[in-house]
Amino acid sequence: DPNHKKLADLAKQAEANRKELQKSIDTLQELLDYLRVCIKYQAFDLEATRRENAYLRKLLEESNHDDK
């Protein structure tokens, strides 16, 4: 039956498309997870840089006061 073969081919194509879509979704999820880790690291690094800058500014201010 030609309709049966056509329907079977369409079903195979739909399954292949579903698998490809699932693979893309999985890849996207992995990339989002990686992005979250990168953002957390950047936030951590920014906070550490702010603390370091505050400490260095304090040292400079103390040094300037000592020079006067």
Side-chain angles (χ1 to χ4, degrees):
D1 183 16
N3 286 336
H4 181 70
K5 180 171 178 8
K6 186 175 180 180
L7 188 59
D9 289 343
L10 288 173
K12 286 179 186 176
Q13 184 62 39
E15 180 63 17
N17 289 343
R18 186 197 66 77
K19 286 181 180 179
E20 187 65 29
L21 179 61
Q22 186 62 49
K23 182 179 173 185
S24 295
I25 290 170
D26 292 344
T27 300
L28 180 59
Q29 186 63 48
E30 288 177 16
L31 291 171
L32 286 171
D33 291 344
Y34 178 71
L35 180 60
R36 283 186 196 100
V37 168
C38 289
I39 290 171
K40 285 180 181 181
Y41 173 77
Q42 290 297 320
F44 170 80
D45 190 51
L46 179 61
E47 184 56 35
T49 300
R50 285 179 179 158
R51 284 192 307 268
E52 183 178 8
N53 283 344
Y55 172 73
L56 293 173
R57 284 180 196 273
K58 182 181 174 186
L59 287 178
L60 280 172
E61 289 173 4
E62 289 173 0
S63 175
N64 286 339
H65 289 308
D66 292 343
D67 290 344
K68 291 181 180 180

